Amino acid sequence: MTLLTLLILVGLAVAAVRAHDLLAATAILGAYSLMMALLWCQMNALDVAFTEAAVGAGISTVLLLAALTRVGTQESLKYGHRLLRHPLRTMRSLVTELHEGDGRRSAIGAVLVCALVGAAMLYGTRDMPRVGDAGSPANTHPAVAEHYLNRSADEVGPANVVTSVLGDYRGYDTMGETVVIFTAALCVLLLLRHMGGRTRDE
Amino acid sequence: MSDVLRHLGTHYHYVIYIALMLIGLFAVLAKGNLIKKVIGLNVLQTAVFLFYISIGRKADGTAPVLWDQKPETIPYENPVPHVLMLTAIVVGVSITAVALALIIRIKRAYGTMEESEILVLDESDQQGSA
Protein backbone atom coordinates (compact mmCIF):
# COMPACT_ATOMS: atom_id res chain seq x y z
CA MET A 1 0.00 0.00 0.00
CA THR A 2 2.74 2.40 0.96
CA LEU A 3 4.62 1.57 -2.22
CA LEU A 4 1.55 2.32 -4.36
CA THR A 5 1.09 5.69 -2.67
CA LEU A 6 4.78 6.48 -3.14
CA LEU A 7 4.61 5.71 -6.86
CA ILE A 8 1.51 7.90 -7.24
CA LEU A 9 3.44 10.65 -5.45
CA VAL A 10 6.34 10.37 -7.88
CA GLY A 11 3.92 10.59 -10.81
CA LEU A 12 2.20 13.65 -9.35
CA ALA A 13 5.54 15.33 -8.65
CA VAL A 14 6.65 14.85 -12.26
CA ALA A 15 3.30 16.16 -13.51
CA ALA A 16 3.47 19.23 -11.23
CA VAL A 17 6.97 20.08 -12.41
CA ARG A 18 6.20 19.49 -16.10
CA ALA A 19 2.84 21.26 -16.41
CA HIS A 20 3.22 24.46 -18.41
CA ASP A 21 0.03 25.97 -17.06
CA LEU A 22 0.96 27.17 -13.59
CA LEU A 23 -2.65 26.91 -12.43
CA ALA A 24 -2.61 23.21 -13.33
CA ALA A 25 0.76 22.79 -11.62
CA THR A 26 -0.68 24.34 -8.46
CA ALA A 27 -3.69 22.03 -8.53
CA ILE A 28 -1.44 19.02 -9.03
CA LEU A 29 0.74 20.15 -6.14
CA GLY A 30 -2.39 20.31 -3.96
CA ALA A 31 -3.26 16.75 -4.96
CA TYR A 32 0.35 15.78 -4.23
CA SER A 33 0.08 17.23 -0.72
CA LEU A 34 -3.21 15.46 -0.06
CA MET A 35 -1.70 12.17 -1.25
CA MET A 36 1.22 12.89 1.06
CA ALA A 37 -1.24 13.28 3.95
CA LEU A 38 -2.67 9.86 3.08
CA LEU A 39 0.84 8.45 3.13
CA TRP A 40 1.49 9.94 6.58
CA CYS A 41 -1.64 8.12 7.80
CA GLN A 42 -0.33 4.88 6.35
CA MET A 43 2.96 5.53 8.13
CA ASN A 44 1.14 6.08 11.46
CA ALA A 45 2.20 9.73 11.61
CA LEU A 46 -1.28 11.08 12.29
CA ASP A 47 -0.28 14.52 13.54
CA VAL A 48 1.92 15.03 10.50
CA ALA A 49 -1.04 13.99 8.33
CA PHE A 50 -3.28 16.66 9.91
CA THR A 51 -0.65 19.30 9.40
CA GLU A 52 0.13 18.28 5.84
CA ALA A 53 -3.57 18.28 4.88
CA ALA A 54 -4.27 21.63 6.53
CA VAL A 55 -1.04 23.49 5.89
CA GLY A 56 0.53 21.73 2.90
CA ALA A 57 -2.58 21.02 0.84
CA GLY A 58 -4.59 23.95 2.20
CA ILE A 59 -2.57 27.05 2.96
CA SER A 60 0.23 26.40 0.44
CA THR A 61 -2.28 25.97 -2.39
CA VAL A 62 -4.16 29.11 -1.37
CA LEU A 63 -0.90 31.08 -1.22
CA LEU A 64 0.11 29.85 -4.68
CA LEU A 65 -3.31 30.68 -6.11
CA ALA A 66 -3.20 34.14 -4.55
CA ALA A 67 0.22 34.73 -6.07
CA LEU A 68 -0.92 33.45 -9.48
CA THR A 69 -3.76 35.97 -9.58
CA ARG A 70 -1.05 38.66 -9.53
CA VAL A 71 1.63 37.18 -11.76
CA GLY A 72 -0.35 35.25 -14.38
CA THR A 73 -0.53 31.53 -14.98
CA GLN A 74 1.52 30.88 -18.08
CA GLU A 75 5.06 29.58 -18.00
CA SER A 76 7.07 30.87 -20.93
CA LEU A 77 7.79 27.93 -23.24
CA LYS A 78 10.53 29.80 -25.01
CA TYR A 79 12.76 29.68 -21.98
CA GLY A 80 11.86 26.20 -20.81
CA HIS A 81 14.67 23.68 -20.76
CA ARG A 82 14.75 21.49 -23.83
CA LEU A 83 15.80 18.17 -22.42
CA LEU A 84 12.36 16.79 -21.62
CA ARG A 85 10.75 18.03 -24.82
CA HIS A 86 13.48 17.12 -27.28
CA PRO A 87 15.75 14.60 -25.58
CA LEU A 88 17.57 13.51 -28.74
CA ARG A 89 18.19 16.95 -30.15
CA THR A 90 19.38 18.18 -26.78
CA MET A 91 21.81 15.29 -26.41
CA ARG A 92 23.24 15.96 -29.87
CA SER A 93 23.69 19.68 -29.55
CA LEU A 94 24.68 19.98 -25.92
CA VAL A 95 28.01 21.67 -26.52
CA THR A 96 26.87 24.04 -29.23
CA GLU A 97 23.75 24.99 -27.34
CA LEU A 98 25.69 25.98 -24.26
CA HIS A 99 27.55 28.60 -26.30
CA GLU A 100 24.67 29.83 -28.44
CA GLY A 101 23.63 32.52 -26.01
CA ASP A 102 20.18 32.91 -27.57
CA GLY A 103 18.51 32.99 -24.17
CA ARG A 104 17.53 29.34 -24.20
CA ARG A 105 18.48 27.23 -21.25
CA SER A 106 20.16 23.90 -21.45
CA ALA A 107 19.32 21.50 -18.66
CA ILE A 108 22.57 19.57 -18.85
CA GLY A 109 24.11 21.30 -15.85
CA ALA A 110 21.04 20.58 -13.74
CA VAL A 111 20.99 16.94 -14.90
CA LEU A 112 24.66 16.54 -13.96
CA VAL A 113 24.15 18.05 -10.52
CA CYS A 114 21.06 15.88 -9.93
CA ALA A 115 22.95 12.75 -11.03
CA LEU A 116 25.86 13.53 -8.70
CA VAL A 117 23.61 14.31 -5.72
CA GLY A 118 21.49 11.23 -6.40
CA ALA A 119 24.54 8.96 -6.65
CA ALA A 120 25.97 10.35 -3.40
CA MET A 121 22.67 9.83 -1.59
CA LEU A 122 22.23 6.31 -2.98
CA TYR A 123 25.71 5.55 -1.69
CA GLY A 124 24.68 7.01 1.65
CA THR A 125 21.73 4.61 1.99
CA ARG A 126 24.26 1.80 2.46
CA ASP A 127 24.62 2.83 6.09
CA MET A 128 20.91 3.40 6.74
CA PRO A 129 18.86 0.91 8.75
CA ARG A 130 15.96 -0.74 6.95
CA VAL A 131 12.69 1.15 7.10
CA GLY A 132 10.69 -0.35 9.97
CA ASP A 133 13.69 -1.56 11.93
CA ALA A 134 12.58 -1.20 15.57
CA GLY A 135 16.15 -1.75 16.74
CA SER A 136 17.66 1.16 14.81
CA PRO A 137 19.64 3.73 16.83
CA ALA A 138 16.99 6.42 16.33
CA ASN A 139 14.31 4.17 17.83
CA THR A 140 16.25 2.78 20.76
CA HIS A 141 18.08 5.79 22.16
CA PRO A 142 17.22 5.57 25.86
CA ALA A 143 17.21 9.32 26.52
CA VAL A 144 15.01 10.38 23.61
CA ALA A 145 12.40 8.21 21.88
CA GLU A 146 12.21 5.48 24.53
CA HIS A 147 12.12 7.99 27.35
CA TYR A 148 9.30 9.96 25.71
CA LEU A 149 7.24 6.84 25.04
CA ASN A 150 7.72 5.33 28.49
CA ARG A 151 7.60 8.40 30.69
CA SER A 152 5.55 11.12 28.97
CA ALA A 153 2.26 9.87 30.46
CA ASP A 154 3.65 10.46 33.96
CA GLU A 155 5.85 13.47 33.29
CA VAL A 156 3.57 15.49 31.00
CA GLY A 157 0.14 13.90 30.83
CA PRO A 158 -1.42 13.81 27.34
CA ALA A 159 -1.99 10.40 25.79
CA ASN A 160 -0.62 11.66 22.50
CA VAL A 161 3.16 11.51 22.84
CA VAL A 162 3.62 13.88 19.88
CA THR A 163 1.70 16.54 21.80
CA SER A 164 3.89 16.02 24.87
CA VAL A 165 7.10 16.32 22.88
CA LEU A 166 5.87 19.32 20.88
CA GLY A 167 4.56 21.29 23.83
CA ASP A 168 6.88 20.23 26.64
CA TYR A 169 10.08 18.31 25.91
CA ARG A 170 10.80 20.33 22.78
CA GLY A 171 8.83 23.43 23.67
CA TYR A 172 11.68 25.74 22.67
CA ASP A 173 11.63 24.28 19.14
CA THR A 174 7.96 25.15 18.90
CA MET A 175 8.65 28.65 20.14
CA GLY A 176 11.35 29.00 17.47
CA GLU A 177 8.82 27.83 14.90
CA THR A 178 6.37 30.56 15.88
CA VAL A 179 9.21 33.09 15.62
CA VAL A 180 9.82 31.86 12.07
CA ILE A 181 6.13 32.27 11.19
CA PHE A 182 6.11 35.75 12.69
CA THR A 183 9.23 36.74 10.74
CA ALA A 184 7.77 35.34 7.51
CA ALA A 185 4.52 37.23 8.04
CA LEU A 186 6.52 40.39 8.68
CA CYS A 187 8.57 39.84 5.50
CA VAL A 188 5.46 39.32 3.37
CA LEU A 189 3.82 42.42 4.84
CA LEU A 190 6.89 44.59 4.22
CA LEU A 191 7.35 43.22 0.68
CA LEU A 192 3.75 43.73 -0.38
CA ARG A 193 2.98 46.87 1.64
CA HIS A 194 2.75 49.30 -1.25
CA MET A 195 1.44 46.90 -3.85
CA GLY A 196 -2.00 48.47 -4.04
CA GLY A 197 -1.06 51.43 -6.24
CA ARG A 198 1.08 51.85 -9.34
CA THR A 199 4.82 51.35 -9.41
CA ARG A 200 7.12 54.30 -9.91
CA ASP A 201 7.87 53.36 -13.51
CA GLU A 202 4.28 53.52 -14.61
CA MET B 1 26.37 -6.78 -8.15
CA SER B 2 23.84 -9.03 -6.44
CA ASP B 3 24.76 -7.30 -3.18
CA VAL B 4 23.82 -3.97 -4.70
CA LEU B 5 20.51 -5.39 -5.97
CA ARG B 6 19.71 -6.94 -2.60
CA HIS B 7 20.51 -3.65 -0.90
CA LEU B 8 18.21 -1.77 -3.29
CA GLY B 9 15.50 -4.35 -2.66
CA THR B 10 15.57 -3.84 1.10
CA HIS B 11 16.07 -0.09 0.91
CA TYR B 12 13.71 0.75 -1.97
CA HIS B 13 11.93 3.35 0.18
CA TYR B 14 15.06 5.45 0.21
CA VAL B 15 15.41 5.11 -3.57
CA ILE B 16 11.92 6.58 -4.05
CA TYR B 17 12.63 9.40 -1.59
CA ILE B 18 15.80 10.21 -3.51
CA ALA B 19 13.85 10.18 -6.78
CA LEU B 20 11.30 12.62 -5.35
CA MET B 21 14.05 14.85 -4.02
CA LEU B 22 15.83 14.87 -7.38
CA ILE B 23 12.60 15.81 -9.17
CA GLY B 24 12.35 18.82 -6.86
CA LEU B 25 16.03 19.68 -7.17
CA PHE B 26 15.82 19.46 -10.96
CA ALA B 27 12.88 21.86 -11.00
CA VAL B 28 14.74 24.32 -8.78
CA LEU B 29 17.85 24.19 -10.97
CA ALA B 30 16.53 23.81 -14.51
CA LYS B 31 13.18 25.58 -14.56
CA GLY B 32 13.36 29.20 -15.56
CA ASN B 33 9.97 30.13 -14.15
CA LEU B 34 10.21 31.31 -10.55
CA ILE B 35 6.83 29.82 -9.52
CA LYS B 36 8.05 26.48 -10.86
CA LYS B 37 11.11 26.79 -8.66
CA VAL B 38 8.87 27.25 -5.62
CA ILE B 39 6.85 24.18 -6.61
CA GLY B 40 10.10 22.23 -6.97
CA LEU B 41 11.20 23.42 -3.54
CA ASN B 42 7.95 22.10 -2.06
CA VAL B 43 8.45 18.68 -3.66
CA LEU B 44 12.06 18.62 -2.45
CA GLN B 45 11.14 19.33 1.14
CA THR B 46 8.42 16.67 1.29
CA ALA B 47 11.05 14.15 0.22
CA VAL B 48 13.15 15.19 3.23
CA PHE B 49 10.09 14.79 5.48
CA LEU B 50 9.54 11.28 4.13
CA PHE B 51 13.16 10.42 4.91
CA TYR B 52 12.87 11.61 8.51
CA ILE B 53 9.53 9.95 9.25
CA SER B 54 10.70 6.62 7.87
CA ILE B 55 13.69 6.69 10.24
CA GLY B 56 11.21 6.52 13.13
CA ARG B 57 9.15 3.67 11.69
CA LYS B 58 8.76 0.31 13.38
CA ALA B 59 7.44 -2.81 11.67
CA ASP B 60 3.83 -3.41 12.83
CA GLY B 61 4.07 -0.16 14.72
CA THR B 62 1.12 1.96 15.74
CA ALA B 63 0.56 5.70 16.12
CA PRO B 64 2.28 7.10 19.24
CA VAL B 65 -0.97 7.64 21.15
CA LEU B 66 -0.88 5.78 24.46
CA TRP B 67 -4.09 3.80 24.76
CA ASP B 68 -2.48 1.37 27.19
CA GLN B 69 -0.21 2.16 30.08
CA LYS B 70 2.40 -0.41 29.04
CA PRO B 71 4.39 1.16 26.19
CA GLU B 72 7.00 -1.59 26.42
CA THR B 73 4.54 -4.14 25.05
CA ILE B 74 3.26 -2.10 22.10
CA PRO B 75 5.54 -0.99 19.24
CA TYR B 76 4.60 2.70 19.19
CA GLU B 77 6.23 4.63 16.38
CA ASN B 78 9.04 6.99 17.29
CA PRO B 79 7.33 10.35 18.01
CA VAL B 80 10.46 12.50 17.69
CA PRO B 81 10.63 12.65 13.85
CA HIS B 82 6.89 13.39 13.80
CA VAL B 83 7.41 16.47 15.97
CA LEU B 84 10.39 17.67 13.98
CA MET B 85 8.51 17.31 10.69
CA LEU B 86 5.42 19.08 12.07
CA THR B 87 7.68 22.04 12.70
CA ALA B 88 9.37 21.69 9.31
CA ILE B 89 6.05 21.67 7.39
CA VAL B 90 5.04 24.96 8.96
CA VAL B 91 8.47 26.48 8.34
CA GLY B 92 8.22 25.27 4.71
CA VAL B 93 4.97 27.15 4.24
CA SER B 94 6.60 30.28 5.67
CA ILE B 95 9.37 29.92 3.09
CA THR B 96 6.77 29.49 0.33
CA ALA B 97 4.95 32.62 1.46
CA VAL B 98 8.08 34.79 1.48
CA ALA B 99 9.24 33.36 -1.87
CA LEU B 100 5.86 34.10 -3.48
CA ALA B 101 5.86 37.64 -2.09
CA LEU B 102 9.32 38.18 -3.60
CA ILE B 103 8.09 36.79 -6.94
CA ILE B 104 5.16 39.20 -6.93
CA ARG B 105 7.61 42.08 -6.37
CA ILE B 106 9.92 40.81 -9.11
CA LYS B 107 7.03 40.50 -11.53
CA ARG B 108 5.98 44.05 -10.71
CA ALA B 109 9.50 45.45 -11.13
CA TYR B 110 10.63 43.50 -14.21
CA GLY B 111 7.30 42.61 -15.84
CA THR B 112 8.34 38.97 -16.00
CA MET B 113 9.04 36.01 -13.74
CA GLU B 114 11.31 34.14 -16.16
CA GLU B 115 14.87 33.91 -14.91
CA SER B 116 16.44 34.36 -18.39
CA GLU B 117 14.45 37.50 -19.16
CA ILE B 118 15.34 38.99 -15.77
CA LEU B 119 19.04 38.34 -16.41
CA VAL B 120 18.82 39.97 -19.85
CA LEU B 121 17.08 43.01 -18.35
CA ASP B 122 19.75 43.24 -15.64
CA GLU B 123 22.54 43.10 -18.22
CA SER B 124 21.01 45.78 -20.43
CA ASP B 125 20.58 47.95 -17.32
CA GLN B 126 24.26 47.67 -16.51
CA GLN B 127 25.26 48.45 -20.10
CA GLY B 128 22.95 51.41 -20.10
CA SER B 129 24.51 52.93 -16.98
CA ALA B 130 28.12 52.26 -18.03
Side-chain angles (χ1 to χ4, degrees), chain B residues 16-76:
Chain B
I16 299 179
Y17 304 160
I18 292 171
L20 272 177
M21 193 185 152
L22 291 182
I23 293 168
L25 184 66
F26 181 80
V28 173
L29 290 175
K31 289 287 176 175
N33 187 289
L34 296 178
I35 296 269
K36 272 298 178 61
K37 284 181 191 282
V38 173
I39 289 174
L41 208 58
N42 271 295
V43 172
L44 197 157
Q45 75 182 7
T46 52
V48 179
F49 300 162
L50 276 170
F51 172 73
Y52 267 79
I53 298 282
S54 57
I55 287 177
R57 295 228 57 202
K58 292 175 187 171
D60 305 320
T62 180
V65 179
L66 309 169
W67 52 276
D68 190 324
Q69 290 308 309
K70 290 184 296 266
E72 296 85 3
T73 57
I74 302 167
Y76 291 116

Side-chain angles (χ1 to χ4, degrees), chain A residues 10-11 24 26 28 42 45 54 79 85 88 113 116 118 122 127 133 165 168-170 176 186 195-196 199:
Chain A
V10 173
T26 304
I28 296 169
Q42 290 174 346
Y79 296 102
R85 276 183 292 133
L88 280 178
V113 170
L116 275 175
L122 274 178
D127 291 335
D133 180 4
V165 180
D168 192 304
Y169 293 114
R170 294 202 150 266
L186 215 60
M195 287 295 284
T199 55

Side-chain angles (χ1 to χ4, degrees), chain A residues 19 32 51 79 105 132 159 191, chain B residues 36 46 59 66 86 105 115 117:
Chain A
Y32 174 87
T51 314
Y79 296 102
R105 302 163 57 84
L191 280 169
Chain B
K36 272 298 178 61
T46 52
L66 309 169
L86 278 183
R105 286 306 292 231
E115 200 179 37
E117 294 176 9

Side-chain angles (χ1 to χ4, degrees), chain A residues 178-190, chain B residues 91 93-95 97-98:
Chain A
T178 52
V179 171
V180 169
I181 301 170
F182 176 72
T183 314
L186 215 60
C187 284
V188 173
L189 270 178
L190 289 174
Chain B
V91 170
V93 169
S94 304
I95 294 171
V98 175

